């Protein structure tokens, strides 16, 4: 029953795609249609953006006949596992599944056979490689005037494929690299009123997190941002909420955004902050990327850098004692409430189906406490969980656990240097994720934690399966917001569910694009949405998912991604983009459009 839903949705999308190919009212103009701009018109755009327009082919074009070029292909293959190369190259994104349209055999995979022709798929037709905000304005005006589908690509990390799109014009914000600091950022109200926000950094639309951490670290400052080299601070990251290992200390990335400079759907360069265009400012903090305008700069609060205490922990249980493993995992999730209330944050991996028959079931993770140097006090905080594990694991000979305060970093900068080493930055491949935000309330009872273990034990098993937990919210900042009641939760567009979240769980599946058939890919997507996804949703139907690390086919995405904030977000969307220039799949206002964002639904 449920399994049929996604197949139906996919075949509907295919039919709509076919309708769009013929053009028609309510559709974007596509290549080879009479409405498509002439070569001369494109050259006009090119001149207005100082020659920054490029025609695009998938970057693996030289790896396929009849254009196979051994040297060029080798060079692509060597570089294509690097995320910086993928971010800077407009002919693709980070995940190969989003460059392709496998349902129509439009693929150009890096490692598929040379004899399979290279086809454009979801790689845009042209890109404007913007170096200044006015380049973005020109591109937006051109797309609006000519009714062309727009795609905004920054780093191209998006797990939902929202930075790629067939038959589109891409605006690449990757080259907007300015970074500037201020000791006291001031916003100005309509009657000369000034509000001081303290120290801040202005971050260009394309600045990657590693670049930002380098710049703030040199000044002994820190910003709240995520754990990746190339994810863009001002892009989908902060606009979708932005979680951070520092989130339990200073809130979400979006809570730390003070101002956005945005190119609107009208092509105007506007400022959105607490004093000006405050509805847009509200929506850009959690409403999602690619939806309200093109952000050319974000201003983020900076904090003095601080030491950070790291603890590593884990359990290993021989596989014949599986029930003991799930019980110990419940102990962990229940005790996480106290640890997170004290500011503990970090990541963990659950491995319920290890690669070989002798390997144990395992949990391993890190917990960090920002601005804490009192190692003994933190160790004391961890004792009750260790005692619970000792008792639970006693039932499984050969099982063991560890919990070690292994490192006191002298700064968060030192920590980011360790987690984001300059020489290791591997990406590529395919993945489809499902996400679930799990509440502090559920895990505050042992019964709730046992229910979570029970759910996780029923997710699809396969060798190398990893379920990842992100303890990136909650802590004192969320506690303060919860105590203010709805006023605090409603201060930004972010789903209120994040303020109640103790852990964000993701479970992904991938495939080998060179081997898997479309039917096999569809079956995997179906199992993510209607298998694992359905089990996770049933746990707490009123919570939600993290829109940046979620399933693009999440049912009822409006509720899942934004909860009670959706109607207000939709009003802001309609005010700032009444004609629907900025449409991304499962984004605010996308329900009126087909899956490719090419035709309005009747
Ligand atoms: C390795 C890795 C690590 C990650 N780590 C974290 C983490 O620690 N915390 C976290 O919260 N998330 C993390 N993410 C998820 C990340 O937040 C999302 O992938 C996000 O979409 C990336 O934003 P981007 O702009 O860099 O990517 P893109 O794929 O370029 O863009 C994402 C979306 O935002 C839109 N967009 C991009 N730039 C702009 C702009 N300037 N103006 C308007 N719209 C724009 C795009 O159109 C698209 O819809 C991680 C992802 C990966 C792959
Ligand atoms: C745009 O102009 C630049 C510089 O004149 C040129 O190199 C580039 O090929 C042009 N782009 C297209 C798509 O023609
Ligand atoms: C990509 O793979 C090559 C060869 O396998 C390796 O040398 C290189 O370090 C990898 N690059 C990244 C960024 O992981
Ligand atoms: C796609 O290509 C495969 C072989 O490469 C073929 O078997 C299949 O019929 C094609 N599908 C479509 C929809 O064209
Ligand atoms: C099984 O996996 C473990 C690690 O998970 C590894 O140490 C061990 O060598 C593997 N055993 C075999 C037989 O492959
Ligand atoms: C770190 O903790 C100290 C002592 O409690 C406090 O004075 C300081 O403000 C904290 N730093 C930040 C950036 O929160
Ligand atoms: C748990 O067991 C280990 C090993 O027996 C022991 O060293 C440790 O003190 C115990 N911890 C607690 C909190 O009971
Ligand atoms: C912090 O620690 C790193 C190594 O972990 C070291 O290189 C650096 O010099 C230290 N900085 C200070 C200010 O002590």
């Amino acid at each position: 029953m449920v399994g049929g839903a996604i197949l139906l949705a996919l075949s509907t999308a295919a039919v709509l795609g076919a309708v769009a190919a013929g053009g028609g009212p309510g559709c974007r103009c596509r290549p080879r249609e009479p409405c498509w701009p002439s070569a001369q018109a494109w050259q006009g755009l090119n001149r207005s953006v100082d020659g920054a327009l490029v025609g695009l082919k998938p970057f693996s074009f030289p790896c396929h006949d009849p254009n196979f070029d051994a040297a060029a292909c080798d060079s692509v293959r060597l570089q294509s596992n690097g995320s910086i190369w993928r971010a800077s190259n407009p002919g693709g994104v980070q995940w190969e599944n989003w460059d392709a349209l496998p349902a129509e055999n439009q693929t150009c995979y890096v490692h598929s056979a040379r004899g399979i022709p290279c086809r454009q798929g979801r790689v845009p037709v042209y890109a404007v490689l913007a170096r200044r905000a006015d380049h973005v304005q020109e591109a937006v005006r051109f797309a609006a005037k000519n009714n062309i589908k727009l795609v905004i690509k920054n780093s191209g990390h998006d797990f939902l494929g929202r930075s790629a799109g067939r038959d589109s014009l891409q605006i690449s914000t990757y080259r907007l690299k300015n970074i500037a600091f201020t000791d006291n950022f001031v916003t100005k109200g309509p009657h000369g009123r000034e509000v001081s926000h303290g120290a801040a950094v202005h971050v260009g639309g394309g600045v990657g997190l590693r670049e930002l951490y380098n710049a703030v670290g040199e000044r002994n400052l820190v910003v709240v941002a995520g754990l990746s080299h190339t994810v863009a601070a001002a892009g989908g990251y902060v606009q979708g909420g932005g979680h951070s290992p520092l989130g339990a200390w200073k809130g979400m990335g979006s809570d730390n955004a003070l101002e956005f400079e945005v190119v609107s759907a009208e092509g105007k360069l506007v400022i959105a902050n607490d004093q000006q265009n405050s509805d847009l400012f509200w929506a850009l903090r959690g409403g999602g990327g690619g939806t309200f305008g093109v952000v050319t700069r974000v201003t983020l609060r900076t904090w003095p850098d601080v030491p950070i205490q790291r603890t590593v922990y884990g359990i290993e249980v021989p596989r014949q004692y599986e029930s003991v493993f799930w019980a110990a995992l419940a102990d962990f999730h229940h005790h996480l409430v106290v640890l997170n209330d004290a500011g503990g944050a970090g990541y963990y991996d659950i491995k319920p189906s290890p690669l070989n028959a002798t390997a144990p079931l395992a949990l391993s993770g890190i917990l960090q406490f920002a601005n804490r140097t009192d190692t003994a006090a933190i160790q004391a905080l961890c004792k009750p969980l260790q005692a619970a594990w000792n008792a639970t694991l006693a039932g499984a000979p050969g099982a063991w656990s560890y919990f070690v305060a292994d490192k006191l970093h002298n700064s968060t900068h030192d920590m980011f240097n360790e987690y984001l080493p300059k020489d290791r930055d591997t990406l590529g491949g395919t993945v489809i994720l499902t996400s679930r935000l799990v509440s502090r309330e559920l895990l505050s009872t042992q019964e709730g934690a046992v229910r979570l273990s029970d759910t996780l034990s029923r997710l699809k098993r396969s060798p190398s399966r990893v379920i990842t937990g992100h303890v990136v919210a909650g802590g004192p900042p969320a506690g303060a917001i919860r105590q203010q009641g709805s006023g605090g939760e409603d201060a930004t567009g972010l789903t209120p569910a994040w303020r109640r979240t103790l852990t964000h769980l993701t479970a992904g599946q991938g495939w080998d694009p060179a081997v898997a058939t479309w039917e096999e890919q569809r079956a995997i997507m179906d199992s993510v949405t209607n298998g694992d996804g359905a089990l996770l949703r049933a746990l707490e139907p009123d919570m939600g998912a993290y829109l940046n690390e979620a399933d693009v086919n999440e049912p009822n995405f409006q509720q899942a991604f934004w909860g009670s904030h959706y109607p207000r977000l939709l009003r802001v969307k309609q005010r700032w983009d009444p004609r629907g220039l900025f449409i991304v799949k499962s984004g605010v206002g996308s329900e009126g459009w087909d899956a490719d964002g090419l035709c309005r639904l009747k």
Side-chain angles (χ1 to χ4, degrees), residues 186-480:
V186 176
T187 50
K188 295 192 178 66
H191 307 293
R193 192 165 80 99
E194 295 198 339
V195 181
S196 292
H197 299 276
V201 57
H202 304 291
V203 183
V207 174
L209 296 183
R210 178 74 253 188
E211 294 164 319
L212 181 58
Y213 288 131
N214 287 346
V216 297
E218 272 172 25
R219 288 165 179 79
N220 297 316
L221 297 172
V222 59
V223 287
V224 177
L227 208 53
S228 160
H229 286 80
T230 47
V231 159
Y237 170 79
V238 72
Q239 296 173 54
H243 68 60
S244 168
L246 305 175
W249 180 50
K250 296 294 182 193
M252 301 290 287
S254 52
D255 292 331
N256 286 268
L258 298 170
E259 180 175 282
F260 294 88
E261 182 190 80
V262 191
V263 175
S264 72
E266 288 185 342
K268 290 192 177 138
L269 192 62
V270 300
I271 294 294
N273 61 34
D274 60 341
Q275 304 293 323
Q276 298 175 62
N277 300 314
S278 55
D279 61 337
L280 185 57
F281 182 50
W282 182 84
L284 285 169
R285 288 175 296 160
T291 302
F292 300 98
V294 188
V295 171
T296 48
R297 191 183 71 212
V298 67
T299 302
L300 299 174
R301 207 173 259 133
T302 58
W303 303 95
D305 205 351
V306 292
I308 186 163
Q309 170 70 55
R310 181 178 78 179
T311 295
V312 296
Y313 60 85
I315 51 180
E316 290 191 358
V317 179
R319 52 172 68 217
Q320 65 269 34
Y321 300 107
E322 187 177 324
S323 64
V324 170
F325 175 74
W326 295 114
L329 192 72
D331 293 336
F332 165 71
H333 277 127
H334 178 49
H335 285 84
L336 201 51
V337 174
V338 172
L339 296 167
N340 174 253
D341 283 351
Y347 308 89
Y348 54 94
D349 284 342
I350 301 164
K351 292 183 184 153
S353 39
L355 275 170
N356 68 46
T358 51
L361 311 182
L363 162 75
S364 61
I366 51 175
L367 261 185
Q368 287 136 185
F369 294 82
N371 205 13
R372 294 275 301 261
T373 53
D374 47 348
T375 307
I378 290 170
Q379 279 174 322
L381 203 62
C382 301
K383 277 276 180 312
L385 172 57
Q386 289 174 276
W389 274 349
N390 277 1
T392 301
L393 297 180
W400 69 296
S401 69
Y402 53 97
F403 218 122
V404 188
D406 77 324
K407 195 150 195 172
L408 179 56
H409 289 286
N410 57 21
S411 62
T412 68
H413 186 58
D414 185 51
M415 175 189 80
F416 284 116
N417 280 343
E418 182 176 327
Y419 292 166
L420 301 173
K422 291 193 179 72
D423 59 346
R424 190 153 46 79
D425 183 28
T426 314
L427 267 181
T430 64
V431 71
I432 293 281
L433 288 181
T434 188
S435 150
R436 207 62 197 164
L437 302 175
V438 181
S439 76
R440 180 187 188 283
E441 189 186 359
L442 179 77
L443 300 177
S444 66
T445 66
Q446 184 77 24
E447 295 73 41
V450 167
R451 275 192 58 213
L452 175 56
S453 274
D454 184 51
T455 298
L456 296 179
S457 73
R458 289 186 290 138
L459 299 190
K460 186 175 173 178
R461 302 283 179 94
S462 64
S464 81
R465 187 78 211 257
V466 179
I467 302 161
T468 302
H470 307 67
V471 189
V472 285

Side-chain angles (χ1 to χ4, degrees), residues 6 50 341 469:
I6 184 175
D50 302 309
D341 283 351

